């Protein structure tokens, strides 16, 4: 019987790799498991059936569950790489031998230690970029222009924050709020954000903040919009930074 790139010789109890001509002589337990899978090809063979070995009229013997898993693993590893999906172990139910290799689609969150495919990485990147573009597009002026004020702020615990400030026509207001935010950030004991962008909109009387933490595997982005009646009056304090979770 053909199993992918291997030939299962039921008479001689051998599994032959036809690409390398190597032979695996099966013992009673290995032969029983593979033969049952072959006889019920395409069906889930219950674990109880695979664990109960009955050959040549002898008294049935029980295969320990750990040995059964080891046999299944050996069979899968013996198949060619492109055919390893022909055998699937269904936990607490049984094992199925497919007629052809199955194309399994791995869900992103199915197993935490499973590597993502290039397509899944691309999907995540596109989603992140779309989210960032949506946030940035709501700023006035946009972040794609050169910042009016660019500073690096060192907090009390040695964390460096890049501060970008965008303003309207009043450069004095831009510097006023930039100085205020920078001085208050220096007093923070803990700040998770690597960069903070502040955009002033005098005509609409609000200030927008974009907070980015790039230390995680997937960057964390948060946004904040504050209504301001008087742009010439600074409002940022330690209490306010803690309240909006900029400063910890």
């Amino acid at each position: 019987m053909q199993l992918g790139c291997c030939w299962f010789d039921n008479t001689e109890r051998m599994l032959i790799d036809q690409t390398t001509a190597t032979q695996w002589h099966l013992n009673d337990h290995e032969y029983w498991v593979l033969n049952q899978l072959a006889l019920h090809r395409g069906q889930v063979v219950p674990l109880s059936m695979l664990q109960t070995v009955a050959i040549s009229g002898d008294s049935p013997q029980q295969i320990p569950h750990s040995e059964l898993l080891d046999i299944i693993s050996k069979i899968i590893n013996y198949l060619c790489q492109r055919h390893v999906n022909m055998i699937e172990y269904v936990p607490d139910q049984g094992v199925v031998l497919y007629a052809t290799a199955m194309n399994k689609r791995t869900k992103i969150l199915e197993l935490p230690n499973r590597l993502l495919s290039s397509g899944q990485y691309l999907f995540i990147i596109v989603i992140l970029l779309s989210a960032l573009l949506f946030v940035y597009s709501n700023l006035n002026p946009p972040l794609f222009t050169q910042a009016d004020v660019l500073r690096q702020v060192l907090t009390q615990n040695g964390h460096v924050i890049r501060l970008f400030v965008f303003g309207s026509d009043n450069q004095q207001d831009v510097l006023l709020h930039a100085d205020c935010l920078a001085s208050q950030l220096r007093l923070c004991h803990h700040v998770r954000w690597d960069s903070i962008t502040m955009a002033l909109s005098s005509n609409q009387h609000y200030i927008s903040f974009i907070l980015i933490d790039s230390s995680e595997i997937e960057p964390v982005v948060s946004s904040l919009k504050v209504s301001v009646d008087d742009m010439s009056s600074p409002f940022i304090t330690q209490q306010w930074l803690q309240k909006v979770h900029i400063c910890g």
Side-chain angles (χ1 to χ4, degrees), residues 21 33 42 104 177 197 200 248:
V33 172
K104 298 180 181 179
H177 288 283
T197 299
L200 285 69

Side-chain angles (χ1 to χ4, degrees), residues 21-79:
T22 55
Q23 301 177 353
W24 177 17
H25 293 270
L26 308 173
N27 60 33
D28 287 346
H29 291 181
E30 294 164 346
Y31 168 74
W32 170 263
V33 172
L34 184 55
N35 191 51
Q36 293 303 309
L37 293 176
L39 290 175
H40 303 85
R41 197 163 186 169
Q43 306 174 29
V44 178
V45 183
L47 296 177
S48 57
M49 179 184 294
L50 296 176
Q51 288 183 261
T52 306
V53 180
I55 301 177
S56 304
D58 296 336
S59 300
Q61 301 177 9
Q62 286 295 121
I63 302 178
H65 185 70
S66 58
E67 181 182 348
L68 175 61
L69 295 181
D70 183 60
I71 292 173
I72 296 171
S73 178
K74 287 181 180 179
I75 297 174
I76 293 175
N77 291 333
Y78 199 80
L79 299 176

Side-chain angles (χ1 to χ4, degrees), residues 118-163:
S118 57
Q120 291 167 343
Y121 274 118
L122 180 60
F123 175 77
I124 293 176
I125 292 173
V126 169
I127 292 298
L128 289 175
L129 290 178
S130 299
L132 288 174
L133 182 60
F134 173 79
V135 173
Y136 289 172
S137 64
N138 286 277
L139 292 178
N140 186 20
L143 286 180
F144 305 110
T145 60
Q146 184 176 358
D148 295 298
V149 177
L150 173 60
R151 295 181 181 176
Q152 287 190 337
V153 180
L154 181 65
T155 65
Q156 288 190 356
N157 65 341
H159 183 66
V160 178
I161 306 170
R162 290 172 297 167
L163 177 60

